[in-house]
Amino acid sequence: MRSTRSGLSTERTDAVTLRDVAKAAGVSISTVSRVLDDRVAPSRSATAVRVREIAEHLGYRRNTFASNLRRGATATIGVLVPRLSDTVMALMFEAIDRAAGKEGYHAVVATSGDDPTDEWNAAQSLLERNVDGVVLATSRTDDPLPSHLRENGIPHVLVLRTDGKSPSSIGDDETGGYLAVRHLIDLGHTDIAVLTGPLFTSSAVGRLAGAHKAFAEAGLQPRPEWTIETGYGIEAGARAGHDLFDGTGRPTAVFAANDNLALGVLSAAHRHNLAVGEDLSLVGYNDIPLAQLLPVPLTSVRTAFDQIARTAMEILLNGDDGSTPLKMALPTLIPRQSSSRAAR
């Protein structure tokens, strides 16, 4: 089966991986990696001898790309994001670039448009440039790409989103969703709508779970028609806002699972002659720089982009020992004028 020199192909490869050798030998992936590293003197321990015999029997061939990160072969990190027109993804890339720079690496970016096929092609393009590791901000809950990278020993880490298996550095989305809705409930709101974002992302799933936790804790039953799955763009927020405000009954508060959605809700509220911060309380997520500069500054849950980026670089530099670490940065609620007490 044909593959690129980086090990990624448009089809699944049948090449024997470190994971295959580790499973057959009954040892960890990190042990196999050390034993088969031809840059150090070979160990003569019984375990090392057995690992080398099994690797030879299985036909393992060392993936030179997979060992590049520790060697600093190109001093370049590839970053894959859905789109750079999304402020959150641009902020995430900039944070990764800063974190990489402090470690002597340079970050290059490619975009996928949240399309699995385009993601695959973009990842292949990055690997063909011989980047030393890959940071993915594109992972879907059913994404095959992280699995392929794991199986082929390619250094990678997921940020903002996780597939629950690959090493990941994300925000604590469930806590963030809880903080947002708890804030609205504490202000006296009971008629609260939630715009979730796309539920193929762990971030949207987590934020919705946090919202439900806050509702349950307060003994509230959210109205199903007021929980709307959307994209993460401004236009999606505007469409959802019009749907919410067109009916005879409307929510008094909205939690939008990112700030772009909240901006769309702001637009829809204006068109329906609703004053945000008075007629309608609104909470966003991520706290992009624009949030505090709006005519009515937006209450938002702040994502710790720099912490997430630093942790991602630590994971890449330290390698994956098979324990698939999930590191989460705590978010912070930033109250502003867009959320206020519910009218009695």
Side-chain angles (χ1 to χ4, degrees):
M1 185 173 294
R2 187 175 181 180
S3 63
T4 70
R5 60 183 174 179
S6 62
L8 185 68
S9 69
T10 54
E11 302 176 69
R12 289 182 62 88
T13 178
D14 292 324
V16 177
T17 67
L18 287 174
R19 190 178 299 275
D20 296 328
V21 177
K23 183 177 180 181
V27 297
S28 69
I29 294 176
S30 59
T31 296
V32 174
S33 180
R34 286 194 300 271
V35 170
L36 300 182
D37 190 341
D38 59 11
R39 292 169 293 150
V40 297
S43 170
R44 296 183 180 181
S45 71
T47 297
V49 170
R50 183 165 176 268
V51 166
R52 285 193 290 270
E53 289 175 348
I54 290 173
E56 183 177 359
H57 175 73
L58 293 177
Y60 172 78
R61 294 292 180 271
R62 191 171 73 90
N63 185 337
T64 55
F65 172 80
S67 63
N68 276 352
L69 185 64
R70 287 191 178 277
R71 301 174 67 183
T74 64
T76 304
I77 301 296
V79 183
L80 189 53
V81 301
R83 54 187 64 82
L84 282 174
S85 58
D86 183 329
T87 304
V88 171
M89 292 301 168
L91 290 169
M92 189 71 256
F93 172 69
E94 290 175 356
I96 292 168
D97 191 38
R98 286 192 295 272
K102 290 178 180 178
E103 300 292 343
Y105 290 85
H106 174 66
V108 295
V109 67
T111 60
S112 72
D114 253 336
D115 179 271
T117 300
D118 289 344
E119 177 196 42
W120 190 270
N121 292 336
Q124 182 162 295
S125 175
L126 286 173
L127 293 175
E128 287 175 347
R129 293 173 180 265
N130 285 333
V131 296
D132 297 334
V134 183
V135 179
L136 302 177
T138 54
S139 178
R140 304 162 69 104
T141 53
D142 60 348
D143 194 344
L145 178 58
S147 175
H148 187 96
L149 297 177
R150 289 194 303 272
E151 291 171 1
N152 287 277
I154 296 174
H156 69 288
V157 61
L158 313 186
V159 296
L160 296 181
R161 308 174 180 182
T162 180
D163 67 347
K165 298 176 183 177
S166 276
S168 304
S169 176
I170 64 174
D172 187 340
D173 294 301
E174 183 169 340
T175 294
Y178 171 84
L179 290 174
V181 173
R182 184 73 248 184
H183 171 68
L184 293 170
I185 292 171
D186 288 345
L187 290 173
H189 294 279
T190 57
D191 296 327
I192 303 170
V194 177
L195 309 187
T196 69
L199 292 177
F200 59 72
T201 64
S202 64
S203 54
V205 171
R207 292 167 199 179
L208 179 60
H212 283 166
K213 181 179 178 180
F215 283 129
E217 184 179 86
L220 297 176
Q221 185 65 42
R223 289 172 56 168
E225 66 271 25
W226 287 353
T227 298
I228 301 175
E229 181 181 357
T230 67
Y232 268 145
I234 296 174
E235 297 82 2
R239 288 193 297 270
H242 288 305
D243 290 342
L244 289 171
F245 307 144
D246 274 340
T248 53
R250 64 168 180 82
T252 64
V254 176
F255 165 45
N258 83 348
D259 289 342
N260 280 342
L261 283 172
L263 291 175
V265 173
L266 278 169
S267 173
H270 177 73
R271 289 178 176 270
H272 286 80
N273 297 312
L274 298 173
V276 171
E278 298 177 15
D279 304 317
L280 178 74
S281 284
L282 178 63
V283 177
Y285 204 107
N286 289 314
D287 195 33
I288 63 176
L290 180 60
Q292 61 183 316
L293 301 176
L294 295 168
V296 180
L298 177 66
T299 296
S300 188
V301 177
R302 178 173 293 168
T303 296
F305 292 109
D306 283 321
Q307 182 181 344
I308 290 171
R310 288 194 301 270
T311 301
M313 282 304 300
E314 288 172 4
I315 291 172
L316 279 180
L317 290 171
N318 293 332
D320 176 18
D321 62 2
S323 62
T324 60
L326 175 62
K327 304 293 181 65
M328 293 193 292
L330 282 174
T332 307
L333 178 75
I334 310 297
R336 297 193 181 99
Q337 289 92 315
S338 70
S339 56
S340 60
R341 291 205 163 272
R344 293 186 180 277

